[in-house]
Amino acid sequence: MINKREVIFDNICESDLIVLDKTHDYRWNDASSDAHIHANIYASFSEAKFICYASSPYITAFSLKNANLKPQDYFGYEMLGEEIDIFDPKDFESWYERADTDIVRNLKATKRNFIIIRGYGVYVFGRDIGHLNKIVALIDHSVKVLTLAEGLYLNTKDSTHFEV
């Protein structure tokens, strides 16, 4: 099951979802343009019961300026890890044609259930939809904390400046 094209997630309902088979039939035309990526993740990981793609502006912006994420907040560090490489798709011209294989290759190589993609967002899979939400929220929170900490560090004229 995947969302149809151009669905607004703030107000999603059952009619916004579509069930796809492995065989590409007419329903694939109505499905999200990411259906091929989801299909390859499902085919490659038996533990993938749910898949989420998220494009938080904080995560996406952070990924443009950093090669990795090193969470400095407690929950980010404990649950995501000490350091997470940010995957660089390099050539955006051909990215979408190779996204399904590049994403799965990286997920297998890192042995993680999520990938942060430079300038694109996050893919995460798992057995529990709530856990997917938690991973995206942890990544988003960690990049916000790092961004705020960097802003505090740069704000040397303010008397509330602390070393972080």
PDB file of all heavy atoms in Angstrom, residues 142-163:
ATOM      1  N   SER A 142      17.773  16.047  16.154  1.00  0.00           N
ATOM      2  CA  SER A 142      19.240  16.119  16.246  1.00  0.00           C
ATOM      3  C   SER A 142      19.810  17.201  15.343  1.00  0.00           C
ATOM      4  O   SER A 142      20.714  17.934  15.750  1.00  0.00           O
ATOM      5  CB  SER A 142      19.865  14.762  15.914  1.00  0.00           C
ATOM      6  OG  SER A 142      19.588  13.834  16.929  1.00  0.00           O
ATOM      7  N   VAL A 143      19.293  17.317  14.113  1.00  0.00           N
ATOM      8  CA  VAL A 143      19.829  18.358  13.231  1.00  0.00           C
ATOM      9  C   VAL A 143      19.409  19.750  13.704  1.00  0.00           C
ATOM     10  O   VAL A 143      20.181  20.709  13.578  1.00  0.00           O
ATOM     11  CB  VAL A 143      19.473  18.142  11.734  1.00  0.00           C
ATOM     12  CG1 VAL A 143      20.002  16.818  11.236  1.00  0.00           C
ATOM     13  CG2 VAL A 143      18.004  18.264  11.451  1.00  0.00           C
ATOM     14  N   LYS A 144      18.228  19.872  14.289  1.00  0.00           N
ATOM     15  CA  LYS A 144      17.803  21.160  14.851  1.00  0.00           C
ATOM     16  C   LYS A 144      18.701  21.558  16.021  1.00  0.00           C
ATOM     17  O   LYS A 144      19.121  22.716  16.126  1.00  0.00           O
ATOM     18  CB  LYS A 144      16.344  21.096  15.313  1.00  0.00           C
ATOM     19  CG  LYS A 144      15.342  21.103  14.184  1.00  0.00           C
ATOM     20  CD  LYS A 144      13.927  20.959  14.740  1.00  0.00           C
ATOM     21  CE  LYS A 144      12.908  20.843  13.662  1.00  0.00           C
ATOM     22  NZ  LYS A 144      11.546  20.604  14.199  1.00  0.00           N
ATOM     23  N   VAL A 145      18.990  20.597  16.898  1.00  0.00           N
ATOM     24  CA  VAL A 145      19.857  20.878  18.051  1.00  0.00           C
ATOM     25  C   VAL A 145      21.239  21.306  17.564  1.00  0.00           C
ATOM     26  O   VAL A 145      21.807  22.292  18.057  1.00  0.00           O
ATOM     27  CB  VAL A 145      19.944  19.650  18.985  1.00  0.00           C
ATOM     28  CG1 VAL A 145      21.075  19.791  19.993  1.00  0.00           C
ATOM     29  CG2 VAL A 145      18.614  19.439  19.692  1.00  0.00           C
ATOM     30  N   LEU A 146      21.801  20.588  16.621  1.00  0.00           N
ATOM     31  CA  LEU A 146      23.121  20.945  16.097  1.00  0.00           C
ATOM     32  C   LEU A 146      23.111  22.322  15.434  1.00  0.00           C
ATOM     33  O   LEU A 146      24.051  23.101  15.603  1.00  0.00           O
ATOM     34  CB  LEU A 146      23.609  19.883  15.103  1.00  0.00           C
ATOM     35  CG  LEU A 146      24.024  18.563  15.733  1.00  0.00           C
ATOM     36  CD1 LEU A 146      24.218  17.505  14.662  1.00  0.00           C
ATOM     37  CD2 LEU A 146      25.290  18.733  16.559  1.00  0.00           C
ATOM     38  N   THR A 147      22.050  22.610  14.703  1.00  0.00           N
ATOM     39  CA  THR A 147      21.938  23.907  14.040  1.00  0.00           C
ATOM     40  C   THR A 147      21.811  25.031  15.062  1.00  0.00           C
ATOM     41  O   THR A 147      22.467  26.073  14.940  1.00  0.00           O
ATOM     42  CB  THR A 147      20.737  23.918  13.072  1.00  0.00           C
ATOM     43  OG1 THR A 147      20.913  22.859  12.127  1.00  0.00           O
ATOM     44  CG2 THR A 147      20.607  25.237  12.345  1.00  0.00           C
ATOM     45  N   LEU A 148      20.996  24.819  16.076  1.00  0.00           N
ATOM     46  CA  LEU A 148      20.858  25.822  17.135  1.00  0.00           C
ATOM     47  C   LEU A 148      22.167  25.999  17.898  1.00  0.00           C
ATOM     48  O   LEU A 148      22.562  27.120  18.214  1.00  0.00           O
ATOM     49  CB  LEU A 148      19.745  25.436  18.106  1.00  0.00           C
ATOM     50  CG  LEU A 148      18.326  25.607  17.592  1.00  0.00           C
ATOM     51  CD1 LEU A 148      17.333  24.955  18.555  1.00  0.00           C
ATOM     52  CD2 LEU A 148      18.000  27.081  17.403  1.00  0.00           C
ATOM     53  N   ALA A 149      22.846  24.908  18.197  1.00  0.00           N
ATOM     54  CA  ALA A 149      24.119  24.985  18.916  1.00  0.00           C
ATOM     55  C   ALA A 149      25.145  25.755  18.101  1.00  0.00           C
ATOM     56  O   ALA A 149      25.900  26.566  18.644  1.00  0.00           O
ATOM     57  CB  ALA A 149      24.634  23.583  19.234  1.00  0.00           C
ATOM     58  N   GLU A 150      25.180  25.522  16.803  1.00  0.00           N
ATOM     59  CA  GLU A 150      26.103  26.258  15.930  1.00  0.00           C
ATOM     60  C   GLU A 150      25.750  27.738  15.918  1.00  0.00           C
ATOM     61  O   GLU A 150      26.635  28.586  15.970  1.00  0.00           O
ATOM     62  CB  GLU A 150      26.060  25.690  14.509  1.00  0.00           C
ATOM     63  CG  GLU A 150      27.014  26.344  13.557  1.00  0.00           C
ATOM     64  CD  GLU A 150      28.480  26.115  13.901  1.00  0.00           C
ATOM     65  OE1 GLU A 150      28.801  25.149  14.596  1.00  0.00           O
ATOM     66  OE2 GLU A 150      29.310  26.930  13.452  1.00  0.00           O
ATOM     67  N   GLY A 151      24.458  28.056  15.889  1.00  0.00           N
ATOM     68  CA  GLY A 151      24.021  29.448  15.930  1.00  0.00           C
ATOM     69  C   GLY A 151      24.421  30.123  17.225  1.00  0.00           C
ATOM     70  O   GLY A 151      24.840  31.274  17.232  1.00  0.00           O
ATOM     71  N   LEU A 152      24.321  29.402  18.335  1.00  0.00           N
ATOM     72  CA  LEU A 152      24.734  29.953  19.620  1.00  0.00           C
ATOM     73  C   LEU A 152      26.233  30.205  19.631  1.00  0.00           C
ATOM     74  O   LEU A 152      26.715  31.192  20.158  1.00  0.00           O
ATOM     75  CB  LEU A 152      24.359  29.003  20.764  1.00  0.00           C
ATOM     76  CG  LEU A 152      22.882  28.884  21.092  1.00  0.00           C
ATOM     77  CD1 LEU A 152      22.660  27.774  22.116  1.00  0.00           C
ATOM     78  CD2 LEU A 152      22.319  30.194  21.592  1.00  0.00           C
ATOM     79  N   TYR A 153      26.977  29.287  19.041  1.00  0.00           N
ATOM     80  CA  TYR A 153      28.424  29.423  18.995  1.00  0.00           C
ATOM     81  C   TYR A 153      28.831  30.649  18.175  1.00  0.00           C
ATOM     82  O   TYR A 153      29.768  31.351  18.528  1.00  0.00           O
ATOM     83  CB  TYR A 153      29.043  28.156  18.397  1.00  0.00           C
ATOM     84  CG  TYR A 153      30.546  28.207  18.330  1.00  0.00           C
ATOM     85  CD1 TYR A 153      31.319  28.123  19.487  1.00  0.00           C
ATOM     86  CD2 TYR A 153      31.193  28.346  17.112  1.00  0.00           C
ATOM     87  CE1 TYR A 153      32.690  28.179  19.435  1.00  0.00           C
ATOM     88  CE2 TYR A 153      32.565  28.401  17.051  1.00  0.00           C
ATOM     89  CZ  TYR A 153      33.319  28.327  18.211  1.00  0.00           C
ATOM     90  OH  TYR A 153      34.673  28.383  18.146  1.00  0.00           O
ATOM     91  N   LEU A 154      28.113  30.917  17.108  1.00  0.00           N
ATOM     92  CA  LEU A 154      28.433  32.056  16.246  1.00  0.00           C
ATOM     93  C   LEU A 154      27.990  33.387  16.858  1.00  0.00           C
ATOM     94  O   LEU A 154      28.456  34.440  16.467  1.00  0.00           O
ATOM     95  CB  LEU A 154      27.771  31.889  14.873  1.00  0.00           C
ATOM     96  CG  LEU A 154      28.292  30.713  14.051  1.00  0.00           C
ATOM     97  CD1 LEU A 154      27.455  30.568  12.789  1.00  0.00           C
ATOM     98  CD2 LEU A 154      29.753  30.898  13.706  1.00  0.00           C
ATOM     99  N   ASN A 155      27.093  33.329  17.827  1.00  0.00           N
ATOM    100  CA  ASN A 155      26.530  34.533  18.421  1.00  0.00           C
ATOM    101  C   ASN A 155      27.419  35.020  19.582  1.00  0.00           C
ATOM    102  O   ASN A 155      27.042  34.976  20.735  1.00  0.00           O
ATOM    103  CB  ASN A 155      25.103  34.229  18.907  1.00  0.00           C
ATOM    104  CG  ASN A 155      24.386  35.472  19.371  1.00  0.00           C
ATOM    105  OD1 ASN A 155      24.886  36.584  19.232  1.00  0.00           O
ATOM    106  ND2 ASN A 155      23.209  35.275  19.929  1.00  0.00           N
ATOM    107  N   THR A 156      28.611  35.509  19.274  1.00  0.00           N
ATOM    108  CA  THR A 156      29.571  35.888  20.311  1.00  0.00           C
ATOM    109  C   THR A 156      29.309  37.267  20.898  1.00  0.00           C
ATOM    110  O   THR A 156      29.884  37.611  21.914  1.00  0.00           O
ATOM    111  CB  THR A 156      30.998  35.844  19.743  1.00  0.00           C
ATOM    112  OG1 THR A 156      31.066  36.697  18.608  1.00  0.00           O
ATOM    113  CG2 THR A 156      31.374  34.416  19.358  1.00  0.00           C
ATOM    114  N   LYS A 157      28.454  38.060  20.286  1.00  0.00           N
ATOM    115  CA  LYS A 157      28.158  39.397  20.802  1.00  0.00           C
ATOM    116  C   LYS A 157      27.105  39.364  21.904  1.00  0.00           C
ATOM    117  O   LYS A 157      26.948  40.303  22.646  1.00  0.00           O
ATOM    118  CB  LYS A 157      27.678  40.310  19.670  1.00  0.00           C
ATOM    119  CG  LYS A 157      28.756  40.582  18.638  1.00  0.00           C
ATOM    120  CD  LYS A 157      28.227  41.437  17.528  1.00  0.00           C
ATOM    121  CE  LYS A 157      29.303  41.575  16.469  1.00  0.00           C
ATOM    122  NZ  LYS A 157      28.784  42.099  15.235  1.00  0.00           N
ATOM    123  N   ASP A 158      26.384  38.284  21.989  1.00  0.00           N
ATOM    124  CA  ASP A 158      25.312  38.146  22.955  1.00  0.00           C
ATOM    125  C   ASP A 158      25.877  37.644  24.282  1.00  0.00           C
ATOM    126  O   ASP A 158      26.693  36.732  24.320  1.00  0.00           O
ATOM    127  CB  ASP A 158      24.275  37.161  22.410  1.00  0.00           C
ATOM    128  CG  ASP A 158      23.023  37.059  23.267  1.00  0.00           C
ATOM    129  OD1 ASP A 158      23.026  37.549  24.403  1.00  0.00           O
ATOM    130  OD2 ASP A 158      22.047  36.480  22.771  1.00  0.00           O
ATOM    131  N   SER A 159      25.443  38.219  25.382  1.00  0.00           N
ATOM    132  CA  SER A 159      25.935  37.821  26.698  1.00  0.00           C
ATOM    133  C   SER A 159      25.435  36.442  27.113  1.00  0.00           C
ATOM    134  O   SER A 159      25.895  35.887  28.107  1.00  0.00           O
ATOM    135  CB  SER A 159      25.535  38.852  27.754  1.00  0.00           C
ATOM    136  OG  SER A 159      24.129  38.912  27.850  1.00  0.00           O
ATOM    137  N   THR A 160      24.481  35.869  26.345  1.00  0.00           N
ATOM    138  CA  THR A 160      23.989  34.539  26.682  1.00  0.00           C
ATOM    139  C   THR A 160      24.769  33.445  25.962  1.00  0.00           C
ATOM    140  O   THR A 160      24.365  32.304  25.929  1.00  0.00           O
ATOM    141  CB  THR A 160      22.488  34.402  26.311  1.00  0.00           C
ATOM    142  OG1 THR A 160      22.337  34.593  24.908  1.00  0.00           O
ATOM    143  CG2 THR A 160      21.641  35.379  27.073  1.00  0.00           C
ATOM    144  N   HIS A 161      25.911  33.781  25.384  1.00  0.00           N
ATOM    145  CA  HIS A 161      26.740  32.825  24.656  1.00  0.00           C
ATOM    146  C   HIS A 161      27.342  31.789  25.616  1.00  0.00           C
ATOM    147  O   HIS A 161      27.888  32.129  26.652  1.00  0.00           O
ATOM    148  CB  HIS A 161      27.864  33.571  23.941  1.00  0.00           C
ATOM    149  CG  HIS A 161      28.903  32.671  23.330  1.00  0.00           C
ATOM    150  ND1 HIS A 161      28.635  31.875  22.248  1.00  0.00           N
ATOM    151  CD2 HIS A 161      30.185  32.436  23.672  1.00  0.00           C
ATOM    152  CE1 HIS A 161      29.709  31.198  21.939  1.00  0.00           C
ATOM    153  NE2 HIS A 161      30.664  31.517  22.781  1.00  0.00           N
ATOM    154  N   PHE A 162      27.181  30.545  25.275  1.00  0.00           N
ATOM    155  CA  PHE A 162      27.751  29.435  26.033  1.00  0.00           C
ATOM    156  C   PHE A 162      28.549  28.567  25.086  1.00  0.00           C
ATOM    157  O   PHE A 162      28.207  28.423  23.938  1.00  0.00           O
ATOM    158  CB  PHE A 162      26.656  28.564  26.664  1.00  0.00           C
ATOM    159  CG  PHE A 162      25.802  29.297  27.649  1.00  0.00           C
ATOM    160  CD1 PHE A 162      24.547  29.763  27.278  1.00  0.00           C
ATOM    161  CD2 PHE A 162      26.224  29.517  28.938  1.00  0.00           C
ATOM    162  CE1 PHE A 162      23.744  30.422  28.184  1.00  0.00           C
ATOM    163  CE2 PHE A 162      25.433  30.189  29.860  1.00  0.00           C
ATOM    164  CZ  PHE A 162      24.192  30.660  29.468  1.00  0.00           C
ATOM    165  N   GLU A 163      29.597  27.976  25.593  1.00  0.00           N
ATOM    166  CA  GLU A 163      30.341  26.997  24.788  1.00  0.00           C
ATOM    167  C   GLU A 163      29.509  25.727  24.749  1.00  0.00           C
ATOM    168  O   GLU A 163      29.040  25.261  25.782  1.00  0.00           O
ATOM    169  CB  GLU A 163      31.712  26.700  25.406  1.00  0.00           C
ATOM    170  CG  GLU A 163      32.680  27.853  25.284  1.00  0.00           C
ATOM    171  CD  GLU A 163      33.038  28.150  23.837  1.00  0.00           C
ATOM    172  OE1 GLU A 163      33.142  27.216  23.028  1.00  0.00           O
ATOM    173  OE2 GLU A 163      33.225  29.340  23.537  1.00  0.00           O
TER     174      GLU A 163
END
